[in-house]
Amino acid sequence: MGKLVVLMFTAFVDMVGFIIVWPLLPFYAADLGANDLAVGMLISAFSVAQLLSAPSWGRFSDRRGRRPAILLGLAISAAAYLVFAFADSLVLLLVSRVVQGIGGGTIGVVQAYVADASAPEDRAKSLGWLSAATSLGAIIGPAIGSLLVQLGGRSAPGLGAAALCLGVAVFAWKFLQEPRHETDSGSHTALHPITGRAAVTRVLTQPRATTSRLILIYAIAIGGFYGTGALFPLIVAERFGITESTIGYLVMYFGGMGLLVRATILGPIVERVGEVRLCRVGLSMLALGLALLGVARSWPVLIASITLMPLGTAFTFPCVTAMLTRAVHRRERGLYLGVQATYGGISRVAFPLLGGLLMEALGRGTAYVVAGVLVAATLPLAFGLRLQEATVPVVNAPPPEGSVTAEHPVAGSQ
């Protein structure tokens, strides 16, 4: 619990730094002459860098430790926010987004740390607490960003984010210790681990495997939520008159709903209905929320949408990630959570680009309707999942007869 509290604080401050600049990016880019498609490309640049770096971060943390990877990622992020603070061209905005993505590639490392420090039955709840910490940062960050713009001009949010990253890096260096594990048996440690490229390829070549299904669910859901969510300021500005000075307060409500669920009811609900069922509920809510945002023309519909979406993500992402950590061996958690981040990054590249094209051609609401349909299409992947803790690295040995691990299709799957 002590390690989790320290990591939650680290994640909280890191999210404050990230979210300070996130809702401001479309406004900055538009002022520099970017159209909707260019905004989508700038948003996607983060995910491109993240998807390319995440497996390497995961394998690095599996071999060298979670703590060094987290500290290095924070330092890289601080440098990216400095570039953002003084960006006076679309090229510099692009550079800042790429460097931010490299630093953000450690998301799988943070999740692997939580999994290492938690019992299997507590992982969804622990990951929910971690998400609650980041949600609290998402509540506070946008308001800070809007306030900094008003007080210090457009360079202030980037400078504030950089300072927060450096501060939390110092905090983590002092208080965040490497998680300890029981030593693997000699038969396991002598075997060669799977490579990052092989793990990425496995998702496509073995789509019925448990890990593949979980990663695909995560990727499409996170692409639908975050990929189009970054275009959220454009649609509410057009339909509801929201500006860069007020967008932060709307995003605060968005994050507040996710925080409330993760911090209060997620754990009891997981214990009552299980991770698989709750994941399906979350996917349904997220899909409906996205579709409603696409057609929202009144405040009640908008509020319903931005309530359903964070509820859906609160139920979906911690459960999917917890199930993935149980489906793979501890020595491969960092790698596979990095692969999950990679596919999530691919999705977050595709969704903003597709969203930008749809917005240009068919109107800004179309992107959200399409995203809702695609998220709903992942529901069949969530049926039939049955998980148990993996006891051997998935590439090295088959599981016991009748069990479900990352390399074997789920019983009853189609």
Side-chain angles (χ1 to χ4, degrees):
M1 178 58 70
K3 293 177 181 178
L4 182 59
V5 169
V6 173
L7 193 61
M8 287 170 61
F9 180 78
T10 302
F12 163 73
V13 180
D14 187 41
M15 173 55 73
V16 170
F18 172 77
I19 206 68
I20 280 175
V21 303
W22 176 72
L24 302 175
L25 178 64
F27 294 109
Y28 286 23
D31 286 348
L32 292 172
N35 58 21
D36 287 353
L37 180 59
V39 171
M41 293 177 67
L42 283 169
I43 293 166
S44 298
F46 176 95
S47 296
V48 170
Q50 186 182 56
L51 72 88
L52 292 176
S53 64
S56 297
W57 279 119
R59 178 53 71 195
F60 175 86
S61 75
D62 287 336
R63 294 177 175 176
R64 302 296 180 88
R66 313 294 189 209
R67 182 174 177 269
I70 292 171
L71 294 176
L72 184 56
L74 287 168
I76 292 172
S77 295
Y81 295 133
L82 285 176
V83 176
F84 180 87
F86 299 105
D88 57 1
S89 68
L90 292 176
V91 172
L92 284 178
L93 275 182
L94 178 63
V95 170
S96 73
R97 291 294 291 170
V98 170
V99 180
Q100 286 172 34
I102 294 173
T106 58
I107 180 61
V109 178
V110 175
Q111 293 170 335
Y113 188 111
V114 174
D116 292 344
S118 304
E121 63 273 14
D122 292 330
R123 282 183 195 150
K125 180 171 61 177
S126 297
L127 288 164
W129 287 343
L130 181 70
S131 297
T134 58
S135 295
L136 181 59
I139 293 173
I140 297 174
I144 294 176
S146 295
L147 180 62
L148 287 174
V149 169
Q150 296 175 38
L151 296 179
R154 291 204 163 185
S155 64
L159 292 174
L164 283 172
C165 278
L166 290 176
V168 77
V170 172
F171 174 84
W173 175 77
K174 184 173 182 180
F175 295 106
L176 189 63
Q177 302 300 317
E178 190 69 26
R180 295 180 180 180
H181 310 284
E182 295 180 1
T183 304
D184 292 324
S185 65
S187 62
H188 293 168
T189 56
L191 297 173
H192 295 290
I194 186 174
T195 65
R197 179 178 299 180
V200 170
T201 303
R202 224 171 262 266
V203 176
L204 300 179
T205 59
Q206 299 184 20
R208 295 179 62 199
T210 303
T211 51
S212 300
R213 294 169 67 175
L214 291 169
I215 289 171
L216 290 173
I217 289 171
Y218 178 91
I220 294 174
I222 204 167
F225 180 64
Y226 287 107
T228 57
L231 301 171
F232 176 72
L234 299 176
I235 198 169
V236 295
E238 177 185 83
R239 296 180 180 179
F240 298 94
I242 301 298
T243 68
E244 62 187 274
S245 297
T246 56
I247 183 67
Y249 304 104
L250 194 59
V251 177
M252 282 179 64
Y253 174 81
F254 207 92
M257 291 303 302
L259 170 63
L260 181 65
V261 173
R262 289 170 169 89
T264 58
I265 65 173
L266 177 62
I269 293 179
V270 169
E271 293 176 0
R272 183 175 180 84
V273 306
E275 296 161 349
V276 177
R277 290 181 181 176
L278 190 57
C279 171
R280 293 198 291 260
V281 172
L283 288 171
S284 301
M285 297 177 75
L286 176 58
L288 180 58
L290 286 166
L292 284 177
L293 182 57
V295 299
R297 295 285 180 178
S298 65
W299 279 100
V301 176
L302 176 64
I303 296 301
S305 169
I306 64 175
T307 300
L308 284 169
M309 284 193 287
L311 288 176
T313 59
F315 292 152
T316 300
F317 296 137
C319 291
V320 169
T321 301
M323 288 188 284
L324 182 59
T325 65
R326 294 171 62 186
V328 297
H329 187 263
R330 179 190 60 78
R331 292 198 298 112
E332 294 173 335
R333 281 180 194 150
L335 173 62
Y336 271 91
L337 289 171
V339 172
Q340 176 178 266
T342 291
Y343 276 93
I346 293 173
S347 183
R348 285 192 284 183
V349 170
F351 271 90
L353 291 175
L354 176 62
L357 290 172
L358 290 172
M359 283 181 169
E360 291 282 347
L362 301 174
R364 288 180 171 171
T366 311
Y368 293 93
V369 174
V370 172
V373 171
L374 291 175
V375 171
T378 67
L379 279 167
L381 297 176
F383 282 87
L385 290 173
R386 294 183 307 182
L387 297 171
Q388 67 180 45
E389 190 78 2
T391 57
V392 295
V394 295
V395 73
N396 293 325
E401 185 69 24
S403 66
V404 180
T405 69
E407 294 309 302
H408 289 252
V410 178
S413 64
Q414 299 297 321

